[in-house]
Amino acid sequence: DAAAYFPRRRAVEGRPIRMIRITGPGGTATRPAFVINGTQHAREWVTPMTTMFMVDRLLETYGTDPQITLLVNKIDFHIIPVANPDGYLYTHTTQASWRKNRHAPPAGSTCYGVDMNRNWSVGYGNNNGSSPDPCSDTYRGTGPFSEPETTHIKGVIDALAAQGRFKVHFDVHSNGQLILSPWGYTTNPPPDLPMMDTLGAISQGGMGSVRGTNYPFGPGAVLLYISSGASRDYGYGTFGAMTWTIEMDGASFMPAQTEILPLAEEGHEG
């Protein structure tokens, strides 16, 4: 039961962080696990829509779509649509461009929030890929996993890895139109880059099948920029899982309503 490693998880201001577990009948003791989350960055509004569309398709087409039925029967999906509920609400009530969580200012500062995707341990603080300044959008916090939100997702990953089942992690973002593999904190290639590129090309083909959108794939530090302390580096660097930051397309962090479904379909096909 997922509640065993994700019980009553809450963000820094106390709002619940919810996880949906989807898998087929039968035992899961050896079933590979796929973790998917959205909304580490609060303003990236299409990411909970994309992750919830994945949930919808896995549930609603199970038993009628042969590919989905096969996937659900063979994989244990753990989906966290809104990893940053405090920040996500804040973007709707106060400041639409807010990126971080809502951690209270540290001593000597008046600035709120930590960039959750700079708060993971592998590569934390390296190569100028985050900021020590609490007022920066890429403030990394006081140390790795200083934030309850990242600690809670880590708990899911660690529990599945302890069972030998953690195989894939998609951290869904926007609006970079990219499929980013490790590493984020260094431009040195990871040992498993050929496999990552093979799988990245498969995701690229799926995403492009919706309406022809091209999603380039490759290491994040090379394709985009240095980002130290990112979730994909933790899952791969600690457990050797295949991990990606999926940067959805879109003209802005808040795409037009007509763009939401096509973007969600691209994420799901990927």
Side-chain angles (χ1 to χ4, degrees), residues 21-249:
R21 183 181 180 188
I22 302 171
T23 196
T28 60
T30 61
R31 190 169 293 179
F34 192 148
V35 177
I36 303 170
N37 69 264
T39 334
Q40 281 209 79
H41 291 151
R43 65 194 179 193
E44 296 170 5
W45 285 2
V46 80
T47 70
M49 308 305 158
T50 299
T51 51
M52 283 304 299
F53 184 76
M54 294 174 181
V55 170
D56 177 89
R57 294 296 84 197
L58 292 176
L59 294 176
E60 294 296 330
T61 66
Y62 178 81
T64 58
D65 182 316
Q67 184 181 31
I68 292 296
T69 304
L70 180 67
L71 289 173
V72 172
N73 283 342
K74 290 184 174 291
I75 296 171
D76 194 4
F77 290 94
H78 297 70
I79 302 174
I80 304 169
V82 182
N84 180 7
D86 298 338
Y88 186 55
L89 178 64
Y90 193 75
T91 64
H92 286 78
T93 62
T94 309
Q95 183 179 333
S97 63
W98 188 258
R99 170 182 167 104
K100 300 183 285 183
N101 73 355
R102 292 296 297 163
H103 198 124
S109 177
T110 59
C111 295
Y112 278 76
V114 170
D115 182 345
M116 290 169 49
N117 206 36
R118 300 296 184 273
N119 191 237
W120 297 71
S121 59
V122 173
Y124 178 86
N126 288 355
N127 300 331
N128 297 316
S130 62
S131 175
D133 179 4
C135 296
S136 169
D137 263 357
T138 59
Y139 174 51
R140 59 181 172 255
T142 56
F145 300 113
S146 62
E147 306 312 296
E149 298 92 343
T150 51
T151 301
H152 297 336
I153 304 170
K154 173 184 182 292
V156 174
I157 289 171
D158 289 1
L160 294 169
Q163 299 168 14
R165 301 198 298 122
F166 174 55
K167 301 300 180 182
V168 183
H169 182 198
F170 272 13
D171 179 20
V172 183
H173 288 253
S174 72
N175 59 332
Q177 194 181 324
L178 296 164
I179 301 169
L180 303 176
S181 58
W183 301 111
Y185 75 93
T186 176
T187 56
N188 293 331
D192 295 300
L193 183 58
M195 174 63 76
M196 292 173 183
D197 282 349
T198 296
L199 297 173
I202 294 171
S203 282
Q204 180 190 53
M207 298 175 90
S209 70
V210 176
R211 53 178 180 170
T213 306
N214 179 42
Y215 283 83
F217 60 88
V222 175
L223 214 57
L224 188 57
Y225 48 63
I226 295 283
S227 58
S228 57
S231 62
R232 68 179 178 276
D233 286 359
Y234 177 77
Y236 174 67
T238 307
F239 301 115
M242 295 290 100
T243 59
W244 286 269
T245 300
I246 306 296
E247 285 275 355
M248 302 308 302
D249 188 18

